[in-house]
Amino acid sequence: MADIGLALAKMQPKSTVVLTDKEELIPLLQRNIELNNAPNAKVQCLDWNTDSTDFEPDVILVSDGIFASDLHQPLADVLHRVAGAKTRVLLAYESRVFSDEVNFFALWSQYFTFHDIKPADQHPVMRSEDIFVFEGRRK
């Protein structure tokens, strides 16, 4: 969700924030950057099935990226291709189908170690009973 990335760009104006999505959504992302006056945000097409990036990000934020089970393998694969040894991956999602979520974490665990971020460690206003947050790093 680009709105999360834009919020991050606004909160961290000295950081470069790269928003990624499918090719057809790139103009919309660019327009949102302009409307939100976020000059430190950039847009890049990232096809989970084939693409990589030409840089090693410090942080990858995946917001609600595991809702579709047919995208679990491509997501796990692209995180493996894009994340470097020092990259921190933050994965936040709304719980929908527990068995699907278990399947994604089985795939993700092939490449990453991860742990949940407990609600007590989350911002008290922003946390929710049905939103889960995990942090991962490459093995």
Side-chain angles (χ1 to χ4, degrees), residues 9-24:
K10 296 292 280 187
M11 292 177 3
Q12 299 292 324
K14 294 184 181 180
S15 298
T16 299
V17 176
V18 180
L19 307 176
T20 65
D21 215 317
K22 301 182 289 187
E23 183 69 40
E24 61 268 22

Side-chain angles (χ1 to χ4, degrees), residues 33-85:
I33 288 171
E34 293 164 7
L35 289 173
N36 286 282
N37 191 28
N40 59 320
K42 298 179 182 180
V43 174
Q44 180 174 332
C45 177
L46 183 64
D47 182 322
W48 289 1
N49 291 301
T50 59
D51 290 344
S52 190
T53 58
D54 57 357
F55 63 93
E56 183 177 308
D58 296 321
V59 177
I60 297 173
L61 175 61
V62 181
S63 176
D64 209 24
I66 65 170
F67 64 90
S69 60
D70 60 322
L71 296 176
H72 289 174
Q73 188 67 58
L75 176 57
D77 291 345
V78 76
L79 289 173
H80 178 65
R81 287 193 308 273
V82 172

Side-chain angles (χ1 to χ4, degrees), residues 3-137:
D3 53 340
I4 301 298
L6 281 171
L8 182 62
K10 296 292 280 187
M11 292 177 3
Q12 299 292 324
K14 294 184 181 180
S15 298
T16 299
V17 176
V18 180
L19 307 176
T20 65
D21 215 317
K22 301 182 289 187
E23 183 69 40
E24 61 268 22
L25 295 177
I26 296 302
L28 179 61
L29 288 178
Q30 189 61 50
R31 181 73 176 131
N32 284 339
I33 288 171
E34 293 164 7
L35 289 173
N36 286 282
N37 191 28
N40 59 320
K42 298 179 182 180
V43 174
Q44 180 174 332
C45 177
L46 183 64
D47 182 322
W48 289 1
N49 291 301
T50 59
D51 290 344
S52 190
T53 58
D54 57 357
F55 63 93
E56 183 177 308
D58 296 321
V59 177
I60 297 173
L61 175 61
V62 181
S63 176
D64 209 24
I66 65 170
F67 64 90
S69 60
D70 60 322
L71 296 176
H72 289 174
Q73 188 67 58
L75 176 57
D77 291 345
V78 76
L79 289 173
H80 178 65
R81 287 193 308 273
V82 172
K86 296 181 180 180
T87 302
R88 180 180 178 202
V89 178
L90 295 173
L91 172 74
Y93 68 94
E94 180 179 358
S95 183
R96 293 179 178 89
V97 180
F98 181 74
S99 60
D100 286 350
E101 295 157 16
V102 169
N103 290 336
F104 170 76
F105 284 104
L107 293 170
W108 199 31
S109 69
Q110 295 173 17
Y111 310 122
F112 289 82
T113 58
F114 55 86
H115 64 91
D116 64 322
I117 298 177
K118 304 285 185 206
D121 296 327
Q122 298 174 28
H123 190 283
V125 174
M126 303 307 291
R127 65 180 171 226
S128 174
E129 291 181 13
D130 61 344
I131 303 294
F132 296 89
V133 181
F134 284 79
E135 177 183 27
R137 295 191 187 267

